[in-house]
Amino acid sequence: MSGCGKVKAWQVPLRLVTGAFILHSGMEKWDGPDEQAQGVHGMARQTFPFLENIDAPRFLKLLAAGEIALGAALLTPMVPTRLAGAALTGFAGSLMAVYAQTPGLRKEGSVWPTPDGIGVSKDSWLLAIGLALTLSPHQKHHKHVKHIKHAQHLKHVKHAKGHGGCHKHHCHHEQGGHPGHGHLKQAKLVAREAKEAKRLAKGVSPDGHSHHHAHRHGPGHARKGCPAHH
């Protein structure tokens, strides 16, 4: 039943057991004797007075047809669970109304059954099952919520990746556009400063003249006249 996608696994035993029980009960009533028809009709008309206009055999036939249809609906996977549950709830509710209104089925001043009412009182389980099936979460709504959560997760991942890319690009830009370029540039600057410090330590200016030579020949001494440049 769960293979068709309309019935969940936990709903299978509920629909299977109640459907088979109600279907079997309806089939037995279909050709029930007059005594059974009179007894069932007598209990029902005390709760629902309008049933007095229907004779007992016809009422039993209608009841049997209703039970057969309900049992078949519960056993048919194509019937939505909430629809089958609503039908079962209505059917079981009418049975509990008969239980509540028929004298002798309940102890006086109590909801608990007498020995004669135990069989009818057990229909309360059918009511509980019907409500459980009716109130079960809608499958399409569950899938829709799951789809929304999945979309939000993807959006969050994409947003996080976007921020990671921006941070990576920023770091890349600060390092000169290429991994390791910033370190290379810094090393060249240190080497240039070390070379300049070494030149100053030797007394050589950036143009190649020593401070001693400039002091001896004067600041206006031409480089081409100096023997040091020949």
Side-chain angles (χ1 to χ4, degrees):
M1 295 178 73
S2 59
C4 66
K6 292 183 178 295
V7 182
K8 297 179 181 179
W10 68 269
Q11 298 168 348
V12 172
L14 300 182
R15 293 187 61 166
L16 184 63
V17 173
T18 56
F21 179 83
I22 295 173
L23 178 62
H24 178 263
S25 176
M27 293 177 66
E28 283 194 336
K29 288 184 177 68
W30 185 260
D31 294 324
D34 291 340
E35 293 79 4
Q36 183 182 12
Q38 294 294 336
V40 173
H41 184 258
M43 293 176 61
R45 71 183 180 183
Q46 291 183 13
T47 306
F48 307 104
F50 65 90
L51 295 178
E52 293 181 358
N53 299 325
I54 304 176
D55 59 343
R58 178 175 175 77
F59 172 74
L60 185 64
K61 211 76 166 180
L62 291 175
L63 179 59
E67 290 184 350
I68 291 173
L70 176 58
L74 289 166
L75 294 173
T76 303
M78 282 71 71
V79 177
T81 296
R82 299 181 74 179
L83 178 60
L88 177 60
T89 301
F91 174 73
S94 63
L95 294 178
M96 294 309 299
V98 171
Y99 168 75
Q101 297 294 328
T102 303
L105 297 182
R106 293 182 299 112
K107 294 179 181 179
E108 187 176 356
S110 174
V111 297
W112 300 111
T114 62
D116 293 336
I118 291 179
V120 182
S121 66
K122 289 182 178 179
D123 292 332
S124 58
W125 300 345
L126 296 179
L127 179 61
I129 293 174
L131 290 173
L133 296 178
T134 304
L135 299 176
S136 61
H138 198 278
Q139 191 172 5
K140 290 184 178 180
H141 175 72
H142 178 72
K143 288 183 177 180
H144 181 65
V145 171
K146 186 176 181 181
H147 177 72
I148 291 177
K149 289 183 178 180
H150 181 66
Q152 290 177 347
H153 175 70
L154 292 179
K155 184 178 180 180
H156 177 72
V157 172
K158 185 177 179 181
H159 182 71
K161 287 184 177 179
H163 278 283
C166 292
H167 178 71
K168 184 177 181 181
H169 176 73
H170 180 68
C171 295
H172 188 195
H173 179 71
E174 287 183 348
Q175 294 178 358
H178 190 276
H181 185 75
H183 296 287
L184 181 61
K185 185 176 181 180
Q186 186 177 5
K188 287 182 178 181
L189 180 61
V190 172
R192 189 181 301 113
E193 291 179 353
K195 186 176 181 181
E196 185 68 21
K198 185 177 181 181
R199 184 184 295 112
L200 292 175
K202 289 182 178 180
V204 180
S205 62
D207 59 356
H209 285 72
S210 66
H211 294 286
H212 177 73
H213 183 81
H215 177 74
R216 181 180 178 183
H217 296 284
H221 177 70
R223 292 181 61 187
K224 63 180 180 178
C226 181
H229 296 286
H230 294 285

